[in-house]
Amino acid sequence: RGINVKTICFLRDPKGFVASSLQEKIKAGLQDVGPISPLYRKRLRYFRKMVTKQNFILRDYADVVSQHADAVAAFYALCGLDSTQIHAERANTGLSLTATRLLLRLNRLQMATLGTPQKLKARQTCIDLLSAAFPRTPTDSLDPDALSGLQAKNLQEDIDYVAEMYAIDYAAPAGHQNLRDADNYLSDVTTIHRDTVADILNHHDIPIASHQTL
């Protein structure tokens, strides 16, 4: 049809990708944490094959955010659009560390929270409740370094590929990667006061008996 298609890709660094991907997996019901790979080569090779070099724009996510305030504004700029003429509601859906830990704890309870539209709706309501009750702050956010044990073993190969093909240098994994340490970090709810959780649930008319196992 004579349409010139450009593909814009924002690439997260390995640590940022692990943290972001982990939260999405936990939102979806993940119970057991395991290695997470950004699969840079697998994903980017597809675009190199299907889109010409001139029509494939790749940028580091952290760089575009620092230059344009957020990814939406960066997208407008790369497309040549005037962002001042577009009014969009932007929501940061990232969970705080506290909310992430509580949601993972919920996933591990012996109760089904998936499988039907009603359960999915209730689950999303719970996620929204946790997000509002425990908003993400600089002191209550996932520590990417504490999640180093979730980095895939073949990560260095992907890092080398990005450096060679796109001149973006990401730091290599440092030190010993321990999956158990990452799991313990995510499972630690000792700093979360039961009374605080109980007050929040009571405020939303959720019976005490349903959250005693928390």
Side-chain angles (χ1 to χ4, degrees):
R1 295 176 180 269
I3 298 174
N4 184 25
V5 177
K6 292 182 182 292
T7 297
I8 297 175
C9 173
F10 295 154
L11 205 65
R12 284 186 178 272
D13 68 278
K15 286 184 179 181
F17 183 90
V18 167
S20 177
S21 178
L22 174 68
Q23 285 199 337
E24 292 306 311
K25 290 176 182 292
I26 291 177
K27 288 180 183 179
L30 177 76
Q31 296 179 335
D32 300 316
V33 298
I36 298 175
S37 174
L39 299 175
Y40 294 140
R41 288 179 301 167
K42 180 179 179 179
R43 290 172 168 148
L44 296 177
R45 279 176 175 173
Y46 175 82
F47 290 104
R48 287 185 65 85
K49 181 191 302 183
M50 302 299 294
V51 184
T52 63
K53 184 177 181 180
Q54 293 75 14
N55 288 337
F56 183 54
I57 302 172
L58 184 142
R59 297 288 187 274
D60 174 64
Y61 177 79
D63 282 347
V64 298
V65 170
S66 65
Q67 293 174 15
H68 301 281
D70 60 27
V72 176
F75 181 79
Y76 289 155
L78 291 171
C79 291
L81 302 175
D82 182 3
S83 61
T84 62
Q85 302 300 315
I86 301 176
H87 302 285
E89 293 185 9
R90 305 174 189 178
N92 189 340
T93 57
L95 297 176
S96 66
L97 174 59
T98 299
T100 301
R101 285 170 167 171
L102 287 174
L103 187 56
L104 179 61
R105 186 66 172 262
L106 173 65
N107 294 348
R108 290 174 171 176
L109 295 179
Q110 297 301 311
M111 57 184 290
T113 62
L114 299 168
T116 68
Q118 293 79 9
K119 289 179 179 178
L120 288 173
K121 182 178 180 180
R123 181 178 181 80
Q124 185 57 54
T125 299
C126 180
I127 294 173
D128 294 340
L129 187 154
L130 289 174
S131 298
F134 302 101
R136 187 170 63 175
T137 66
T139 58
D140 192 9
S141 299
L142 281 174
D143 179 4
D145 290 328
L147 302 175
S148 62
L150 301 184
Q151 293 180 352
K153 293 182 179 179
N154 63 344
L155 179 58
Q156 186 60 58
E157 297 175 7
D158 280 313
I159 290 176
D160 292 341
Y161 175 81
V162 172
E164 178 182 355
M165 301 302 297
Y166 299 99
I168 296 178
D169 295 317
Y170 288 136
H176 178 65
Q177 298 175 1
N178 192 316
L179 180 60
R180 180 177 296 181
D181 287 345
D183 187 88
N184 290 339
Y185 169 74
L186 292 166
S187 304
D188 183 12
V189 293
T190 57
T191 60
I192 305 172
H193 297 291
R194 290 173 180 264
D195 291 342
T196 301
V197 177
D199 290 343
I200 293 169
L201 297 181
N202 285 330
H203 177 73
H204 291 272
D205 297 323
I206 301 175
I208 294 292
S210 67
H211 62 77
Q212 286 298 316
T213 52
L214 287 175

